[in-house]
Amino acid sequence: FWKAFTTGKSTQIGGIPHDVYGMTTASVHEYALGIMRRLQLKEEGVSKLQTGGPDGDLGSNEILISKDKTVGIVDGSGVLYNPAGLDREQLLKLAADKKMISE
């Protein structure tokens, strides 16, 4: 059983278009936190698959501010996936250094 939503995509496919609403990483993250509060979920218990890697502004900002269990990241260099969760310390280092996941 799973539920998901997507950001940066057309509302026709269930997305939240950033350009229409002027959303940044902080506002997208707050939106997700609001949904979690409404569903009485703790961020640390939520799994996330992220498109946009630690080398970019949006991807790195999301890694730096999130507390979720990131299970996958897709960027220009490839895909990382671990159903148990990726190593948060390594993700934070990549994000701080603005490096792709292939590093």
Side-chain angles (χ1 to χ4, degrees):
F1 175 84
W2 61 274
K3 292 185 180 182
F5 66 93
T6 184
T7 64
K9 304 297 180 211
S10 164
T11 56
Q12 293 174 330
I13 61 168
I16 305 160
H18 300 171
D19 56 344
V20 173
Y21 297 101
M23 298 175 87
T24 63
T25 303
S27 60
V28 169
H29 191 77
E30 279 302 315
Y31 180 86
L33 291 176
I35 291 171
M36 289 178 228
R37 278 191 298 275
R38 178 102 184 206
L39 297 174
Q40 298 180 345
L41 300 171
K42 294 188 181 240
E43 183 180 7
E44 295 84 353
V46 172
S47 297
K48 176 179 70 188
L49 173 69
Q50 178 176 321
T51 57
D55 60 312
D57 289 336
L58 299 177
S60 64
N61 289 341
E62 175 59 18
I63 290 167
L64 294 170
I65 66 174
S66 65
K67 298 176 187 170
D68 55 50
K69 179 173 77 170
T70 304
V71 297
I73 294 184
V74 179
D75 74 8
S77 71
V79 177
L80 282 179
Y81 176 74
N82 182 340
L86 300 175
D87 184 323
R88 172 119 340 241
E89 291 303 315
Q90 287 299 317
L91 291 178
L92 291 170
K93 182 171 177 8
L94 289 171
D97 295 341
K98 298 277 181 124
K99 291 187 175 180
M100 296 182 117
I101 59 173
S102 61
E103 299 284 327

